[in-house]
Amino acid sequence: MKADPRGVLTGTHFMDGDHACCEGALAAGARFAAGYPITPSTEVVERFASRVPTVGGTFIQMEDELAASITLQGAVWGGAKAFTVTSGPGFSLMMEHIGYAAMTETPCVFVDVQRGGPSTGLPTLPAQADMMQARWGSHGDYEIIALCPNSPQECFDLTIKAFNLAEEFRVPVMFMMDEVVGHMTEKVVIPPADQIEVVPRKHTHKSVEEYLPYATNGDMVPEIAHAGEGYKFHVTGLTHDERGYPNMTPQTQDHLVRRLQNKIKNAADRIALFEEERLDDAEVVVVSYGITSRVAQRAIGLARERGLKVGKLRLITAWPFPEKKIAELAAGVKAFVVPELNLGQMVREVERAAAGKAKTFPVSHAGGGVHKPEEILKVIVEASR
Amino acid sequence: MSDLVNPVEQFLRSDRMPHIWCPGCGIGTTVNCFAQALIESKVDLESLAVVSGIGCTGRVAGYVKLDSFHTTHGRAIPFATGLKLANPKLNVVVYSGDGDLSAIGGNHLIHAARRNIDLKVICVNNLIYAMTGGQTAPTTPDHSITSTNPYGVFEPSFNLPHLVEAAGAVYVARWTTFHVRQLARSISEAFKKKGFSFIEVISPCPTLYQRRNKLGDGLDTMKYYKEKSKVRHGAPTNEVGLTMTGEIIVGKFVDRDRPDYQTMMRGQMAESLGDKFVEQAEMVCS
């Protein structure tokens, strides 16, 4: 379906990534946000608090991130599209409810504008060190989807995508920004509402008598009902059967947890978004994401000037990790170079997917700034030997 | 047989029986009172939702035949807050235990009362963490023996009615599981209130609290409740703290009116934004 025009600020704007993310959420149909202030993410909800009363919705500032991350899920079961926004320390507090959303199949979006950690770390400076936490942070086996924008324009476009994926798969989607992308101001084009595709909630059409909250119909994603519609359904974070009733047996656990994983894993190719450049003759591929991809772009240019055969693979989808793409490339290239604002996170995935067919070179950075192009170039040169 | 159906059965998920609660436990009694209140107050069942946290009382959501949410430990109130704000037509009941609501969920309890979110909170207080085996709760009376205070509790306990009154609740009552009619009536009254209502129900845990403290079984506890409870409506809540074997002050302590969160929000938005303010009625996205 098309976006509700009331939430769409059509036009050409000069806007930062945090604000563009908020506009993306509004365009996607989000009418509820619960948040707790934290640098460098707060501008997203500040804008939402200012905008949403004029389009029909609610922002509530909760007492902490534990509350924010579950309040939004209450709103989803009340019928709203909802999200929360945070940064590292708050993201840590939200892990419990990312697990709850995965287990109860609550469609929602968690925006993490990453800053340096661990702990309070670098409140105002960038990092990309929550990438593994986004994937593995809550206990138990589950899958999520994570997207990484590298510009304010993508903060708008991909926030819509994040909501659409959340609805399609009934899964929490992690929107992994970083401080630089969040605070960078650039041109953002917001198209007319009728050019924005919005995925509606997968609401059941079944009668009250027929409806089973966690029964699937071939596509592994159950249909949802909202509170107050007469279905009198039950939702629990306990291991549950198709009725939504607690059923704590190894058989039910196996059936449920495998489905929660497979509904994402089986669709990984469709979810995988990436940008590739000059891969045709490449011997070395620079794999990057978020703000680091923009520094990598410069490094690749410098390397090409030196005659090195270097290509670019920018990950837009970080999770599920596009391992098929890496495996395909690994068969034909010498090496991968993976710059990221952490001491080695996604590089482990690249190395795993390359499976020894191509070498993998990390370009680590502890955060607080971005790489210098020359630092990446140096490793490209090394990898090209 | 058909004319002998228990009137409460219509509110229960019979296919989930038997329940997990121990013999002598008071939680089932409170559910019976809740069902009586639903009958008496004629609340629309289709727009009624029950939200629980984790623990013995947290299992209530799984047994009531209503839209029901068994959430995470301590977070029933913030979940219920989102549910209510997204769909203000819902009547949202939070049904959980003393540990869930006042320890791990204590911050949410006071802030929801402060904001005056329109929620009915039923807090079954068995003075202990029961599901996990009888550990000290913030409500455990002084000198009690628990599995984590084997030599006796020495930290002061919360007086929950006093706490929630101070935080801003508009309706505060306390009963024991002996006071079944009074409890049902209080729940019915809470359904008529707009704002944050809090009903504390003192309930036995014969398996862990009464046994460890040599206070007898469920029936002995009912006798204690009968003999030692004093009904004092309007009692100052700073005077209603609990001890292990002393008097239990019960009654309706607070019944006042102040605008609830959504009324205040709409008022403020309409005042500041004028014609630009858009009501959220169309939020439902299906």
Side-chain angles (χ1 to χ4, degrees):
Chain A
M1 64 185 245
K2 303 296 175 195
D4 175 354
R6 284 171 298 183
V8 182
L9 205 65
T10 303
T12 301
H13 307 270
F14 190 54
M15 194 181 271
D16 76 14
D18 280 356
H19 285 181
C21 170
C22 171
E23 290 303 329
L26 286 167
R31 293 294 179 268
F32 189 96
Y36 186 81
I38 185 165
T39 306
S41 74
T42 316
E43 292 90 331
V44 183
V45 291
E46 284 175 340
R47 189 176 178 101
F48 195 80
S50 158
R51 289 265 287 130
V52 82
T54 67
V55 299
T58 297
F59 169 70
I60 183 167
Q61 183 175 315
M62 294 304 292
E63 50 273 15
D64 56 32
E65 288 92 345
L66 296 161
S69 56
I70 193 79
T71 300
L72 79 95
Q73 297 186 50
V76 169
W77 288 98
K81 282 193 180 179
F83 72 118
T84 190
V85 183
T86 192
S87 187
F91 199 48
S92 292
L93 291 181
M94 291 181 178
M95 288 301 133
E96 179 184 21
H97 293 137
I98 289 169
Y100 188 74
M103 187 59 145
T104 58
E105 300 180 71
T106 302
C108 54
V109 174
F110 289 76
V111 178
D112 176 13
V113 187
Q114 297 172 84
R115 68 191 222 187
S119 192
T120 313
L122 303 168
T124 62
L125 298 170
Q128 297 176 307
D130 305 349
M131 298 306 295
M132 283 291 170
Q133 185 184 25
R135 171 65 187 86
W136 302 104
S138 200
H139 56 279
D141 286 316
Y142 62 98
E143 287 273 340
I144 50 85
I145 296 171
L147 304 180
C148 304
N150 81 345
S151 67
Q153 181 67 53
E154 280 198 350
C155 288
F156 175 81
D157 297 337
L158 294 177
T159 298
I160 298 171
K161 183 81 186 165
F163 275 93
N164 285 349
L165 290 167
E167 295 296 340
E168 181 179 352
F169 292 99
R170 284 189 62 179
V171 71
V173 175
M174 308 298 121
F175 197 61
M176 304 304 286
M177 295 169 54
D178 55 68
E179 185 276 332
V180 180
V181 165
H183 285 161
M184 162 194 289
T185 300
E186 286 183 341
K187 183 166 95 168
V188 174
V189 179
I190 299 183
D194 63 6
Q195 290 172 27
I196 298 173
E197 272 305 319
V198 166
V199 174
R201 184 143 302 163
K202 195 175 177 186
H203 195 280
T204 189
H205 299 290
K206 291 204 165 70
S207 68
V208 169
E209 293 72 29
E210 288 174 324
Y211 180 61
L212 285 172
Y214 288 95
T216 53
N217 308 299
D219 68 352
M220 307 189 96
V221 182
E223 294 173 348
I224 201 168
H226 295 137
E229 297 174 334
Y231 287 93
K232 296 181 183 170
F233 59 89
H234 183 59
V235 171
T236 178
L238 287 168
T239 296
H240 45 271
D241 61 21
E242 292 188 335
R243 296 170 298 176
Y245 289 0
N247 185 331
M248 287 161 278
T249 62
Q251 293 77 18
T252 308
Q253 169 77 358
D254 185 81
H255 182 75
L256 173 62
V257 178
R258 283 188 197 280
R259 181 175 65 74
L260 294 180
Q261 290 224 331
N262 288 338
K263 71 175 178 179
I264 305 300
K265 279 186 175 173
N266 294 355
D269 290 346
R270 193 151 54 83
I271 298 168
L273 299 170
F274 41 79
E275 185 185 39
E276 44 195 324
E277 236 175 72
R278 309 178 90 164
L279 290 177
D280 295 347
D281 65 341
E283 291 174 354
V284 170
V285 178
V286 179
V287 181
S288 62
Y289 55 93
I291 188 58
T292 306
S293 67
R294 297 177 64 156
V295 186
Q297 186 79 25
R298 172 75 179 145
I300 292 164
L302 293 171
R304 281 277 172 181
E305 282 170 19
R306 294 182 177 204
L308 298 172
K309 290 181 175 169
V310 188
K312 163 176 125 179
L313 180 71
R314 174 166 76 95
L315 306 180
I316 297 172
T317 306
W319 304 112
F321 185 73
E323 53 193 44
K324 204 166 127 188
K325 183 69 188 173
I326 297 290
E328 280 166 17
L329 289 171
V333 303
K334 224 191 265 183
F336 293 102
V337 170
V338 189
E340 47 186 343
L341 295 181
N342 57 55
L343 300 188
Q345 296 196 10
M346 299 309 287
V347 66
R348 300 165 75 104
E349 286 297 292
V350 176
E351 194 168 18
R352 183 180 63 80
K357 290 185 185 133
K359 284 186 179 175
T360 306
F361 294 81
V363 192
S364 64
H365 187 305
V370 296
H371 294 82
K372 290 188 174 67
E374 294 73 20
E375 292 165 358
I376 301 171
L377 176 65
K378 199 176 138 198
V379 181
I380 294 172
V381 171
E382 190 188 334
S384 303
R385 282 193 196 117
Chain B
M1 275 303 277
S2 61
D3 50 347
L4 290 176
V5 169
N6 189 321
V8 160
E9 200 170 318
Q10 60 178 311
F11 304 105
L12 300 177
R13 299 186 193 276
S14 315
D15 51 348
R16 289 217 56 221
M17 298 297 149
H19 57 68
I20 62 158
W21 298 313
C22 300
C25 170
I27 299 170
T29 307
T30 73
V31 173
N32 201 50
C33 296
F34 176 63
Q36 289 296 339
L38 296 183
I39 295 169
E40 285 162 24
S41 60
K42 300 187 176 66
V43 169
D44 173 29
L45 300 180
E46 294 210 349
S47 61
L48 180 63
V50 172
V51 183
S52 292
I54 298 296
C56 291
T57 310
R59 293 304 184 91
V60 168
Y63 295 129
V64 292
K65 202 192 284 176
L66 297 164
D67 289 332
S68 54
F69 300 91
H70 183 219
T71 64
T72 50
H73 198 16
R75 321 298 169 208
I77 286 178
F79 184 98
T81 298
L83 192 62
K84 178 70 187 174
L85 297 187
N87 185 353
K89 288 181 198 142
L90 293 174
N91 223 327
V92 182
V93 173
V94 171
Y95 212 128
S96 219
D98 50 305
D100 186 76
L101 288 166
S102 75
I104 189 166
N107 201 25
H108 313 311
L109 177 71
I110 58 174
H111 284 281
R114 171 180 68 78
R115 295 184 182 108
N116 203 22
I117 307 281
D118 186 18
L119 301 175
K120 328 297 169 198
V121 180
I122 298 170
C123 174
V124 178
N125 182 359
N126 55 14
L127 311 176
I128 200 138
Y129 282 94
M131 182 72 92
T132 47
Q135 297 78 25
T136 303
T139 47
T140 310
D142 220 6
H143 311 303
S144 303
I145 303 296
T146 70
S147 67
T148 46
N149 279 113
Y151 309 112
V153 169
F154 50 84
E155 56 178 87
S157 58
F158 263 147
N159 168 352
L160 295 178
H162 189 42
L163 178 71
V164 294
E165 183 193 14
V170 293
Y171 184 94
V172 183
R174 173 199 280 157
W175 300 102
T176 75
T177 50
F178 174 73
H179 300 89
V180 289
R181 293 195 184 282
Q182 294 92 329
L183 173 58
R185 198 181 312 134
S186 265
I187 297 171
S188 294
E189 280 185 12
F191 277 123
K192 295 193 187 86
K193 294 291 289 185
K194 197 163 177 64
F196 191 85
S197 297
F198 185 87
I199 299 169
E200 181 186 29
V201 195
I202 311 300
S203 172
C205 177
T207 307
L208 294 161
Y209 187 74
Q210 268 70 24
R211 178 175 60 84
R212 278 217 178 90
N213 288 287
K214 301 186 168 49
L215 297 170
D217 59 13
L219 189 60
D220 293 322
T221 311
M222 283 302 114
K223 286 179 190 155
Y224 161 57
Y225 290 167
K226 179 171 185 266
E227 284 160 18
K228 291 291 185 94
S229 293
K230 286 259 163 55
V231 180
R232 276 178 66 195
H233 294 302
T237 53
N238 62 344
E239 295 174 7
V240 306
L242 296 169
T243 58
M244 193 163 41
T245 54
E247 199 171 68
I248 304 171
I249 307 294
V250 294
K252 180 168 76 176
F253 304 137
V254 176
D255 189 350
R256 59 188 173 185
D257 291 304
R258 66 188 184 97
D260 77 300
Y261 180 87
Q262 280 168 305
T263 305
M264 291 185 286
M265 180 176 72
R266 278 196 297 273
Q268 184 68 35
M269 295 297 176
E271 188 185 317
S272 291
L273 287 166
D275 293 346
K276 287 186 194 157
F277 174 51
V278 176
E279 287 276 355
Q280 61 161 43
E282 320 85 32
M283 194 192 281
V284 171
C285 61
S286 60

